[in-house]
Amino acid sequence: MTAPLLQVKNLTIDYIGDSTDFRAVDDVSFDVARGEVFGLAGESGCGKSTIAFAISRLHKPPALIRSGRILLEGRDVLDLNPAQLRDFRWREVAMVFQSAMNSLNPVLRVQEQFYDVLRTHQKMNRAQARERTAEMLRLVDIPPDRMKDYPHQFSGGMRQRIVIAICLALNPKIVVMDEPTTALDVVVQREILQRINELRRTFGFSVLFITHDLGLMVQFCDRIGIMLAGKLVEQNTAENIYGAPQHDYTRKLWASFPSLHGEPVMEKVSI
Amino acid sequence: MSDPQTAILALDRVSKSFGTAPYKVNAAQSVSFELHAGRTLALVGESGSGKTTCARLVMREYMPSEGQLLFKGKPVSTDNAKALAAYRRSVQMIFQDPFSSLNPAHTIDYHLRRPLQLHRRDLRGKQIDAAVEELLSRVKLDPKIVARKHPHELSGGQRQRVNIARTLAVGAEVIVADEPTSMLDVSVRLGVLNLLNEMKRDMKLALLYITHDIATARYVAEDIVVMYAGQIVEWGDVNKVIDNPQHPYTRLLLSAVPDPEMRFDDPKAQLKAADVDEVRRLSAVPQDRIVAVEPGHFIRQIASGRAA
């Protein structure tokens, strides 16, 4: 039994208000093992994105971590000084945001944006960076000769894959994905997640996957945590979250998805 | 789909293109569909397939490059201001983003009172108050609490309900709903869809429901139209199309819908990139021939290079 890669212990995060504080994350604990895909599901405002930001300490005031610990390989992320933090971000924890495809710099060629990351973190020169860029683009099914193009020359799905490639360029130990495919259509979503799934089998990184789409989450994740109003109300394997949900809220979440092949819930009224 | 004469609104081989050759984009190619009172037509397809172009054509935000719109069997005239006003009254839209489609400076009461004042000239004073109250109750919002509020004080689901009430205020007969629930929380989505269904049934509205989520399409719609690259590739009764998809693009779309029964590691779940590209390439080829699969279920002829 090896130690988990990421341990979140009794994490409590408040958003500081003028008179009262809003508790966004309330005493949440979970572990993510090496190579595991852990999912956090819940509605907007339940605190799942706040957790995602806190893991790489990207949360900004008025968010404040009241208590708890975030351990990556036993090291507390909350104790890192600014220099250690710079080194830690991207190299150990990489993040893909919901609007990631819009987070590429529109006035820089794709290869420049790779170079930026590779130079800062691995002191690569241009030739080495180009080689690494080509290798990463090939991994996400983008022809390497397109590295000289600008972001607007790619479709939304391709841009999202480029962001994922940049994230993986430094071989992070864990990738945090906050609704990475919500803005994309289902076919592109499937292609991207399938590829991430293959890559994590090859490279062994872990994924913290955040979405509100439970069906998708069950397909992709090994274990799932369900959040409600800042609390982790249920945590189980994907099979059990789907097959044997314990908490009422999990059942309610399932009931709110019309299923494609099940009986239509609504009575059909003919005219 | 039945006789165009009985349809409230029909698109008759409408095309819309943007730009000029060699940069011409055919956003809609010979699109025909009909909207009937008390029925919902779901328009599904990926981003860029021409769904929103169709919505804008229906809303007369875009003028067709070719083909025509038939409103109650007659072409929509462009030179008759009165007829155009009647058209705009009858055809209303619900937008995707409930956070930007209400004026933040005005109360909910104002949002409903203005259309009543403009389009329901027969109502006077107290009658308008009563109408606002009735509209809010109809969309299951408490008029006493909600009417005084500003949009920022309401949740996304509540705002979408206000938008629905606003379309009802002017006496809409056709409602175009462009992804009305995609920005709402999962737990309130069904509530909004149920409300739309109820409205359709009770008020005999014709609904054009635009979405990329084919599962909700089955939930609300009787008929479905699948679009790809500006063409309608498959259409018909929603159950027949979803249970027996014939066009390769429809099959691809259905196979990519998240299915909790099938894990990504399952080899059957794998989409092959080469297959996907092939389906996309073949489906994008313009085709004129239409094949009837069964009564009330049609597909566009599939380009050769692959057996159907």
Side-chain angles (χ1 to χ4, degrees):
Chain A
M1 184 79 194
T2 50
L5 178 73
L6 176 76
Q7 289 175 285
V8 174
K9 286 186 173 171
N10 308 100
L11 187 66
T12 300
I13 303 175
D14 283 348
Y15 282 92
I16 308 294
D18 286 338
S19 47
T20 51
D21 297 345
F22 176 76
R23 184 142 291 186
V25 178
D26 193 359
D27 197 22
V28 167
S29 304
F30 62 88
D31 294 343
V32 183
R34 260 169 239 281
E36 182 183 47
V37 181
F38 184 79
L40 274 181
E43 292 177 62
S44 20
C46 72
K48 54 193 197 307
S49 295
T50 306
I51 294 180
F53 278 103
I55 285 172
S56 39
R57 271 183 59 191
L58 284 168
H59 65 288
K60 288 201 189 98
L64 176 74
I65 298 182
R66 286 280 182 198
S67 60
R69 305 209 294 158
I70 300 167
L71 302 172
L72 192 87
E73 297 188 310
R75 192 159 65 128
D76 197 332
V77 176
L78 303 179
D79 292 338
L80 299 178
N81 65 34
Q84 288 169 324
L85 196 59
R86 264 200 304 281
D87 192 49
F88 160 85
R89 287 180 185 152
W90 289 110
R91 249 159 51 85
E92 304 200 24
V93 176
M95 219 173 151
V96 180
F97 302 100
Q98 177 169 4
S99 52
M101 52 191 185
N102 301 324
S103 58
L104 290 170
N105 188 333
V107 298
L108 289 183
R109 295 176 198 276
V110 167
Q111 63 177 14
E112 281 302 312
Q113 312 200 28
F114 271 91
Y115 178 56
D116 230 19
V117 175
L118 293 169
R119 184 196 50 195
T120 313
H121 287 280
Q122 299 199 321
K123 313 269 181 297
M124 280 193 186
N125 63 32
R126 286 203 175 257
Q128 288 170 318
R130 254 199 306 279
E131 205 171 294
R132 180 74 177 148
T133 304
E135 186 187 338
M136 294 317 295
L137 287 178
R138 246 180 258 121
L139 280 183
V140 292
D141 301 317
I142 291 175
D145 51 333
R146 294 206 58 188
M147 70 170 85
K148 291 195 180 64
D149 287 348
Y150 289 94
H152 74 267
Q153 293 168 291
F154 296 91
S155 71
M158 287 172 111
R159 266 179 279 166
Q160 192 73 313
R161 279 184 276 163
I162 291 170
V163 172
I164 291 167
I166 296 178
C167 272
L168 299 179
L170 300 173
N171 288 324
K173 294 175 179 135
I174 181 165
V175 183
V176 178
M177 298 190 174
D178 188 1
E179 307 254 8
T181 53
T182 304
L184 304 170
D185 62 81
V186 284
V187 178
V188 179
Q189 165 173 290
R190 169 66 72 82
E191 286 178 306
I192 289 179
L193 292 181
Q194 224 172 263
R195 181 33 67 104
I196 293 172
N197 195 39
E198 286 164 26
L199 292 176
R200 71 130 174 168
R201 297 271 175 225
T202 318
F203 297 104
F205 55 86
S206 309
V207 179
L208 178 64
F209 184 64
I210 294 173
T211 182
H212 60 261
D213 188 337
L214 268 185
L216 182 67
M217 191 162 256
V218 168
Q219 282 191 296
F220 184 41
C221 298
D222 301 314
R223 285 189 311 123
I224 294 173
I226 306 283
M227 289 197 65
L228 170 64
K231 290 196 171 66
L232 198 61
V233 294
E234 185 170 356
Q235 198 181 152
N236 215 328
T237 58
E239 290 77 31
N240 284 336
I241 290 283
Y242 176 57
Q246 297 301 310
H247 198 275
D248 274 347
Y249 181 68
T250 315
R251 287 192 209 111
K252 271 192 208 147
L253 266 185
W254 275 117
S256 61
F257 286 98
S259 97
L260 186 57
H261 291 292
E263 280 298 298
V265 193
M266 181 113 24
E267 71 282 10
K268 294 276 178 189
V269 176
S270 51
I271 50 162
Chain B
M1 281 178 239
S2 50
D3 182 16
Q5 292 306 315
T6 65
I8 293 191
L9 186 74
L11 263 67
D12 182 21
R13 279 163 291 160
V14 171
S15 299
K16 177 75 193 170
S17 53
F18 297 100
T20 46
Y23 301 110
K24 195 167 161 185
V25 175
N26 293 312
Q29 300 181 53
S30 194
V31 169
S32 303
F33 59 75
E34 287 130 34
L35 299 171
H36 295 271
R39 282 179 86 80
T40 301
L41 175 73
L43 188 57
V44 301
E46 60 183 32
S47 19
S49 61
K51 306 187 296 276
T52 301
T53 301
C54 286
R56 292 194 167 157
L57 285 164
V58 169
M59 295 308 297
R60 297 194 70 74
E61 252 183 79
Y62 291 159
M63 293 301 134
S65 311
E66 273 170 56
Q68 58 179 353
L69 269 79
L70 299 171
F71 183 58
K72 294 180 177 163
K74 288 193 225 65
V76 183
S77 58
T78 41
D79 48 1
N80 183 339
K82 235 185 185 150
L84 206 58
Y87 183 85
R88 295 220 185 271
R89 185 175 312 142
S90 306
V91 183
Q92 289 288 324
M93 186 152 181
I94 297 168
F95 297 92
Q96 178 172 15
D97 185 355
F99 300 93
S100 67
S101 52
L102 293 172
N103 188 332
H106 286 299
T107 61
I108 300 307
D109 181 76
Y110 179 90
H111 278 96
L112 298 178
R113 190 173 291 271
R114 283 293 292 167
L116 286 170
Q117 284 167 343
L118 284 170
H119 290 287
R120 298 283 301 279
R121 294 293 173 88
D122 51 319
L123 298 179
R124 290 277 171 271
K126 282 273 184 318
Q127 286 173 307
I128 294 186
D129 295 342
V132 169
E133 213 161 288
E134 201 234 304
L135 283 168
L136 284 172
S137 322
R138 196 175 263 283
V139 295
K140 301 188 175 67
L141 293 171
D142 186 347
K144 286 190 190 64
I145 299 169
V146 173
R148 300 181 274 113
K149 290 197 171 179
H150 284 84
H152 73 266
E153 296 173 278
L154 301 182
S155 71
Q158 286 174 319
R159 284 184 230 196
Q160 214 55 314
R161 284 169 196 271
V162 172
N163 273 322
I164 294 172
R166 192 179 48 89
T167 64
L168 300 177
V170 296
E173 292 172 86
V174 176
I175 292 184
V176 178
D178 191 355
E179 305 260 14
T181 59
S182 67
M183 293 189 62
L184 302 180
D185 259 329
V186 280
S187 59
V188 299
R189 281 184 190 182
L190 277 196
V192 170
L193 292 179
N194 285 340
L195 181 65
L196 281 173
N197 254 341
E198 229 171 81
M199 299 293 127
K200 168 187 80 181
R201 211 163 53 210
D202 298 348
M203 310 182 71
K204 294 271 173 277
L205 296 173
L207 206 63
L208 177 63
Y209 176 69
I210 297 177
T211 184
H212 63 250
D213 182 353
I214 204 164
T216 62
R218 178 174 221 166
Y219 188 74
V220 297
E222 285 85 21
D223 303 306
I224 191 169
V225 160
V226 181
M227 280 193 88
Y228 182 74
Q231 284 192 111
I232 294 180
V233 294
E234 184 159 3
W235 66 100
D237 179 272
V238 70
N239 293 315
K240 287 179 183 166
V241 171
I242 291 180
D243 291 333
N244 182 23
Q246 291 300 313
H247 198 280
Y249 180 72
T250 315
R251 289 187 187 159
L252 173 67
L253 199 60
L254 282 166
S255 71
V257 172
D259 178 1
E261 299 274 347
M262 200 181 272
R263 305 255 314 150
F264 280 169
D265 295 326
D266 187 336
K268 274 186 295 190
Q270 303 285 321
L271 287 179
K272 303 240 173 10
D275 295 352
V276 172
D277 291 344
E278 178 76 353
V279 169
R280 286 219 164 100
R281 193 178 63 75
L282 292 176
S283 306
V285 179
Q287 287 284 333
D288 289 330
R289 260 198 65 208
I290 286 159
V291 182
V293 178
E294 54 192 316
H297 180 185
F298 305 89
I299 62 168
R300 200 169 283 275
Q301 172 83 49
I302 303 145
S304 54
R306 181 200 178 109

